[in-house]
């Protein structure tokens, strides 16, 4: 069974830096699990931080259907799943699961340890546990639904599948993309003459069956908020607004994932005249605080995660010790 190391945790906690140190020591490669950094041209606000001079190598065998597959090389470390799709592409968890699993196998063939680094909990879950791919996206339906606000989407889902709506948590029912997907799945099943009870079952699961070591990083909430504040200010100083202005030129065709991403959403609202720049920046920071809290809520439910304090002086040594045991088992 393929051994895979995962580094997870909230935004700004230090996952990438730790991942690079581990990759350097164990001759590994990084597979990014970030739902925003998969997009081209979303660099500064997303914190992609690709070092200048990093070379991108295309992998033609994995490049198809709008997916630009390959890796950056930094200090002899390969980093996968950055700059995968255009900002107009609706990148789904199924795309991530498919590509990430291919990269796990690819790195194995190259005798490199795969290290999955990121804070998108659904991506991590899909790669470890498998993913339901029973219903394909309905692009025409999505176009219609994406015009509706959250309240209208909630009302529509209640009408066609109240059981599903009541099974969703507060985060789910406040998320337009998750509501759209729930309606999409329900509609597809009903069109194919399946009962509502069947709609709530898993249909087709792809399970990658990895032997996984999942390391979670955490730190004090106030320390994390200060890290977030500093990071937002740094990104603004390094051209975040100019990056968003460039994307805003094609605002109408941007994928919902791009329009709703923290930082981009608030700066778009500034450019739309809905907020002052000061208000947009403050809302960006608050959105990041909430995002970090939601990430921790998600990950804390996963008993597989070995939690380590991110600010401890011996963090790398502690992680290295855990990985040595994992690899020798």
């Amino acid at each position: 069974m393929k051994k895979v190391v995962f580094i997870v945790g909230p935004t700004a906690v230090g996952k990438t830096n730790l991942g690079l140190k581990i990759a350097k020591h164990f001759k590994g490669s990084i597979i990014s699990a970030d739902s925003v950094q998969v997009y081209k041209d979303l660099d500064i606000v997303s914190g992609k931080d690709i070092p200048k001079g990093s070379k991108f190598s295309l992998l033609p065998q994995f490049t198809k259907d709008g997916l630009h597959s390959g890796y950056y090389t930094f200090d002899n470390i390969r980093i996968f799943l950055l700059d995968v799709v255009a900002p107009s592409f609706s990148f789904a968890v199924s795309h991530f699961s498919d590509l990430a699993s291919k990269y796990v196998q690819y790195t194995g063939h190259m005798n490199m340890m795969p290290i999955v680094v990121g804070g998108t909990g659904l991506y991590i879950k899909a790669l470890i546990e498998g993913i339901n791919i029973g219903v394909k996206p309905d692009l025409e339906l999505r176009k219609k639904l994406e015009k509706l606000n959250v309240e209208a989407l909630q009302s529509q889902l209640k009408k066609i599948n109240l059981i599903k709506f009541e099974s969703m948590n507060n985060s789910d029912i406040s998320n337009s993309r998750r509501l759209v997907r729930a309606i999409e799945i329900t509609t597809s099943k009903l069109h194919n003459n399946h009962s509502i009870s069947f709609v709530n079952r898993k249909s087709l699961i792809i399970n990658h069956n990895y032997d996984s070591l999942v390391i979670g990083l955490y730190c004090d909430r106030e320390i994390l908020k200060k890290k977030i504040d500093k990071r937002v200010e740094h990104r603004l100083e390094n051209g975040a607004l100019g990056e968003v202005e460039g994307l805003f030129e094609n605002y109408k065709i941007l994928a919902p994932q791009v329009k709703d991403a923290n930082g981009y959403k608030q700066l778009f609202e500034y450019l739309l005249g809905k907020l002052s720049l000061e208000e947009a920046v403050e809302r960006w920071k608050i959105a990041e605080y909430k995002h970090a809290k939601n990430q921790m809520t998600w990950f804390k439910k996963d008993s597989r995660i070995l939690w380590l304090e991110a600010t401890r002086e011996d963090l790398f040594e502690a992680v290295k010790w855990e990985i040595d045991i994992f690899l020798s088992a």
Side-chain angles (χ1 to χ4, degrees), residues 90-304:
S90 188
F91 190 87
V93 63
S94 57
H95 295 120
F96 169 82
S97 179
D98 180 53
L99 280 177
S101 63
K102 289 175 180 176
Y103 293 150
V104 167
Q105 297 303 319
Y106 176 82
T107 55
H109 292 320
M110 301 296 290
N111 293 317
M112 295 180 290
M113 184 176 74
I115 306 164
V116 180
V117 179
T120 303
L122 188 59
Y123 284 9
I124 302 297
K125 181 181 176 68
L127 197 55
I128 295 176
E129 297 182 5
I131 180 173
N132 180 357
I133 61 168
V135 176
K136 294 183 178 180
D138 183 336
L139 300 183
E140 289 301 317
L141 177 62
R142 285 189 179 187
K143 286 182 181 179
K144 295 178 182 178
L145 294 176
E146 285 166 2
K147 296 177 182 178
L148 304 179
N149 60 28
V150 169
E151 290 75 17
L153 290 171
Q154 290 174 346
S155 177
Q156 185 160 337
L157 181 57
K158 286 179 184 178
K159 289 179 181 178
I160 63 174
N161 193 350
L162 183 60
I163 295 173
K164 174 61 180 176
F165 179 83
E166 292 179 343
S167 73
M168 299 170 74
N169 59 36
N170 288 333
S171 176
D172 290 334
I173 64 175
S174 300
N175 187 304
S176 59
R177 292 199 303 277
R178 293 176 190 170
L179 288 166
V180 166
R181 182 57 177 162
I183 294 169
E184 184 178 55
I185 291 173
T186 299
T187 303
S188 174
K189 295 297 184 182
L190 291 175
H191 283 173
N192 286 283
N193 299 317
H194 292 296
S195 67
I196 287 294
S197 61
F198 183 80
V199 173
N200 294 290
R201 301 177 192 168
K202 293 181 178 179
S203 45
L204 179 58
I205 299 293
I206 292 180
N207 195 322
H208 305 301
N209 292 318
Y210 300 132
D211 185 6
S212 305
L213 170 64
V214 189
I215 295 172
L217 299 183
Y218 73 94
C219 71
D220 176 80
R221 183 176 297 179
E222 290 305 313
I223 292 176
L224 191 61
K225 287 178 69 174
K226 289 178 181 178
K227 284 176 173 283
I228 289 171
D229 288 345
K230 185 176 180 179
R231 193 166 72 167
V232 168
E233 295 295 341
H234 176 75
R235 291 175 183 176
L236 286 164
E237 291 169 2
N238 281 272
L241 182 56
E243 177 178 273
V244 175
E245 287 173 337
L247 291 165
F248 190 69
E249 294 177 4
N250 297 300
Y251 183 76
K252 289 184 179 180
I253 65 170
L254 294 178
Q257 293 92 325
V258 174
K259 290 181 179 179
D260 291 340
N262 287 342
Y264 295 98
K265 178 180 179 179
Q266 293 77 23
L267 292 178
F268 282 143
E269 290 178 340
Y270 159 66
L271 294 174
L272 288 166
K274 297 180 179 180
L275 301 172
S276 69
L277 181 57
E278 292 75 14
E279 289 171 330
V281 172
E282 185 61 25
R283 290 194 185 187
W284 179 4
K285 292 178 180 179
I286 292 172
E288 294 284 12
Y289 305 155
K290 291 181 179 179
H291 180 52
K293 181 180 178 180
N294 290 339
Q295 287 174 305
M296 285 302 297
T297 299
W298 175 287
F299 286 125
K300 280 182 178 179
K301 297 176 183 178
D302 192 337
S303 60
R304 290 172 298 224

